[in-house]
Amino acid sequence: MGSGGFILLHYESTLSGYNQSSFFVSSTNHHKMKLTIFGKLYLAIFLATSVAIVFMVVVTNWNFEQSFAKYEREADLERIECLAKHLAAKYPDQPDLSFLGNNPTQWLTDISIGLNCDAEARGEPLLSESAIYKLSGAIRLLDENGVLIKGAPLGDQQYGQVIIPSKNQSVGSIQLILADQSENSREITKNFKLQQGGYLYLIALFSALLSLLVALVVVRQLVTPVKKLTEGATSLLKGEFATQINVASGDELGDLSRRFNQLSAYLQRNEELRGEWIADISHELRTPISVLRSETEAMLDGVRPPNLKHIRSLHAETMSLKQLVDDLYQLSLSDAGDIELVDEVVELGGLLDSALFAAESLLDEKQITVVNLLDLDKTYPVRGDESRLYQLFTNLLGNSHRYTDAGGSIQVAIKTESEQVVVEIADSAPGVPDDALPRLFERLFRVDKSRSRALGGSGLGLSICRNLVEMHGGKIEAHHSDLGGLLIRVRLPLLVDAAKP
């Protein structure tokens, strides 16, 4: 199994529990229970909601206590203002109120009347005697100089102060100090807090139940694409590479689903290519083996004599078979990245001229004219492996020799273009159909299979050339030639600093 299969197997083993179990819990191969993705997400949302609700209850309770205490003090301060108005209205001619300090009965009477004045107008109930008595302990009466006349001793923390006017002059002031709540206030506070707390807990419980329902819907929506991916991975493991997932979202899960579909299409294409590859290789190997078998059987049966001519025919088929095996081995090395390149500076113009010179005798056999357009006064340096680049040019010239009609021509040129060295090898007829140009570098592809096999081509030469070019960071292209045949254009990165104009 390849690396892709291993990844899919690991992915499937990770998610298989979700497929074969309840939403929340699944069992592993070791018979241990574990939470599914659904359970984890649901639990995470529930915990987050619970923490938020608890925080809300605590903060609300704290805020309520602070706000209610402030409300009570503000209400008491309003009552103190009423008391100040009552005293100012009752004793308008008194220069001061120090006489109240020696008359506690009158002070309590004034407090009882003053604290309840305007109560009905404010929509508040009248204070009871016990409430008035408790509140009087939080009140102090001062003269105009701030000297204590009656009430709580000085030194206690003051909450508010109200001036007592008398004929546009201050005759004293009343201060409200921070004291313990009265019994009546505590009872009111307690009952009110219990009532509001009950409402708050009901709201919190309703919010928790509502959040669980919403979480159920949200988690189902989140987990559904994961479940589809799990089912898709299972299909891929079964070899169903045509499996596609319906993508209904544009989020990360949607992107993952699209990547899954791309992976599926890639595996499907690779499976088709693998089938074609096996069929083509089988056919390529079967042809020379069949010839060798028929030739040897004919010699064994005495149909053909084992003379030099027939032995040379066997040797030719053997060499053809060897060439095919060597090409396959070369491709396997490049695919696996096992070809080590020598990193050196190569002068491409001179190397191409050497390859062309070596091929001249072979081209002369078919009376193919060579048009050499190389300008050897210029240098075309690249960084790469000289032996592999020589192999590249040899393969390309051999391909032109093999498929160019006798009496034709080959044109070789080199130039620089946008910090690239461009090598062009063009030949004359026969040409290549338009639909075949993009496929020329595919393995075992032949435009005319019967003609190519008869000429000794394995269908792997241009594939090897493409691998060699790409190993050097370049690009190879196939176009129609002006000579009527094929134009192969190779682009390799120019070593700018070493170039000679």
Side-chain angles (χ1 to χ4, degrees):
M1 180 180 295
S3 59
F6 174 77
I7 293 172
L8 290 174
L9 182 59
H10 175 73
Y11 176 75
E12 169 62 14
S13 65
T14 304
L15 298 178
S16 60
Y18 176 81
N19 261 346
Q20 303 168 357
S21 65
S22 66
F23 283 116
F24 293 95
V25 180
S26 65
S27 59
T28 64
N29 294 333
H30 302 288
H31 305 289
K32 294 181 180 179
M33 305 304 290
K34 67 175 183 178
L35 282 175
T36 63
I37 294 178
F38 185 95
K40 291 178 180 179
L41 287 175
Y42 197 80
L43 182 60
I45 294 177
F46 174 72
L47 290 177
T49 304
S50 300
V51 170
I53 291 175
V54 170
F55 178 77
M56 179 190 70
V57 170
V58 171
V59 172
T60 302
N61 276 331
W62 176 84
N63 183 65
F64 169 76
E65 292 180 359
Q66 299 297 319
S67 299
F68 193 78
K70 182 179 180 181
Y71 165 77
E72 284 190 308
R73 294 190 185 101
E74 293 294 336
D76 290 342
L77 193 59
E78 288 183 2
R79 294 187 178 99
I80 297 302
E81 290 176 352
C82 288
L83 176 59
K85 292 178 181 178
H86 168 73
L87 294 176
K90 186 175 181 179
Y91 307 109
D93 298 324
Q94 295 292 335
D96 59 62
L97 300 177
S98 58
F99 65 92
L100 291 175
N102 300 318
N103 193 346
T105 302
Q106 183 62 45
W107 171 241
L108 289 176
T109 301
D110 289 334
I111 287 180
S112 299
I113 298 173
L115 291 181
N116 279 320
C117 74
D118 296 338
E120 294 182 359
R122 294 196 304 269
E124 298 178 357
L126 295 177
L127 294 178
S128 63
E129 291 184 4
S130 60
I132 291 174
Y133 179 77
K134 292 291 184 180
L135 184 56
S136 65
I139 296 175
R140 64 165 67 105
L141 177 64
L142 306 176
D143 63 14
E144 67 275 14
N145 297 317
V147 178
L148 178 65
I149 298 176
K150 193 67 177 176
L154 294 174
D156 293 335
Q157 185 177 359
Q158 172 187 332
Y159 180 76
Q161 180 172 332
V162 178
I163 303 298
I164 303 173
S166 178
K167 294 182 179 181
N168 299 325
Q169 292 182 356
S170 173
V171 295
S173 62
I174 303 175
Q175 290 183 350
L176 177 66
I177 64 173
L178 296 176
D180 294 335
Q181 287 183 314
S182 65
E183 181 180 352
N184 184 50
S185 295
R186 284 198 301 267
E187 188 65 24
I188 293 175
T189 302
K190 179 180 178 181
N191 293 335
F192 188 74
K193 286 178 64 176
L194 287 175
Q195 183 183 33
Q196 296 302 315
Y199 293 150
L200 182 61
Y201 293 137
L202 285 176
I203 293 173
L205 179 61
F206 176 77
S207 300
L209 294 176
L210 182 61
S211 67
L212 290 178
L213 293 176
V214 173
L216 183 64
V217 176
V218 172
V219 172
R220 280 182 180 272
Q221 293 294 325
L222 291 175
V223 173
T224 297
V226 178
K227 184 178 179 181
K228 291 181 180 179
L229 286 169
T230 304
E231 295 171 351
T234 303
S235 299
L236 291 185
L237 286 174
K238 294 178 181 179
E240 300 172 2
F241 299 124
T243 302
Q244 292 285 296
I245 296 176
N246 183 29
V247 181
S249 64
D251 55 11
E252 289 83 353
L253 288 174
D255 292 339
L256 181 59
S257 298
R258 279 185 284 273
R259 294 296 178 89
F260 177 90
N261 290 339
Q262 293 173 1
L263 172 63
S264 175
Y266 178 78
L267 292 175
Q268 175 69 10
R269 178 56 181 161
N270 277 359
E271 180 65 14
E272 294 173 356
L273 291 176
R274 186 182 69 86
E276 295 175 3
W277 172 263
I278 292 175
D280 291 341
I281 288 296
S282 299
H283 182 75
E284 294 298 328
L285 292 174
R286 186 169 57 249
T287 300
I289 291 176
S290 298
V291 174
L292 287 172
R293 178 184 175 183
S294 62
E295 291 283 344
T296 53
E297 287 180 351
M299 291 182 186
L300 289 174
D301 294 340
V303 177
R304 288 189 178 183
N307 54 30
L308 183 61
K309 176 183 177 182
H310 293 151
I311 292 176
R312 283 179 176 173
S313 176
L314 291 175
H315 181 263
E317 290 298 331
T318 303
M319 295 305 295
S320 175
L321 185 60
K322 178 182 179 300
Q323 182 63 44
L324 176 60
V325 173
D326 288 344
D327 288 346
L328 289 172
Y329 179 68
Q330 181 74 26
L331 281 175
S332 67
L333 287 178
S334 61
D335 287 344
D338 291 337
I339 296 180
E340 295 185 2
L341 298 179
V342 177
D343 188 13
E344 55 187 340
V345 178
V346 181
E347 205 294 292
L348 214 58
L351 186 65
L352 180 57
D353 186 64
S354 299
L356 187 58
F357 178 78
E360 280 186 358
S361 59
L362 191 64
L363 296 172
D364 288 341
E365 293 178 359
K366 293 181 66 173
Q367 299 179 346
I368 296 176
T369 303
V370 176
V371 181
N372 188 340
L373 300 180
L374 302 179
D375 185 0
L376 299 181
D377 291 334
K378 296 181 180 180
T379 59
Y380 305 91
V382 297
R383 184 167 291 279
D385 189 321
E386 182 173 348
S387 62
R388 295 297 179 183
L389 292 173
Y390 186 82
Q391 177 188 358
L392 166 66
F393 296 141
T394 301
N395 285 357
L396 292 177
L397 291 171
N399 187 76
S400 293
H401 161 264
R402 185 176 298 111
Y403 296 107
T404 302
D405 290 340
S409 62
I410 294 177
Q411 180 176 290
V412 181
I414 187 171
K415 61 183 178 179
T416 58
E417 187 178 282
S418 300
E419 297 188 356
Q420 288 182 327
V421 179
V422 181
V423 175
E424 294 181 346
I425 299 178
D427 55 43
S428 56
V432 176
D434 293 337
D435 58 346
L437 279 176
R439 302 190 58 192
L440 284 180
F441 299 102
E442 294 181 9
R443 299 171 185 186
L444 300 175
F445 176 77
R446 295 185 178 92
V447 178
D448 186 344
K449 293 188 177 181
S450 59
R451 183 171 181 267
S452 298
R453 189 173 292 110
L455 294 173
S458 65
L460 298 173
L462 289 180
S463 297
I464 294 174
C465 290
R466 180 183 62 183
N467 284 6
L468 290 173
V469 171
E470 291 177 351
M471 288 168 61
H472 286 81
K475 183 179 179 181
I476 187 170
E477 307 164 351
H479 303 277
H480 292 297
S481 168
D482 293 337
L483 301 179
L486 180 68
L487 166 65
I488 298 295
R489 181 178 291 123
V490 176
R491 299 178 181 273
L492 294 172
L494 173 67
L495 193 59
V496 179
D497 295 338
K500 176 183 175 182

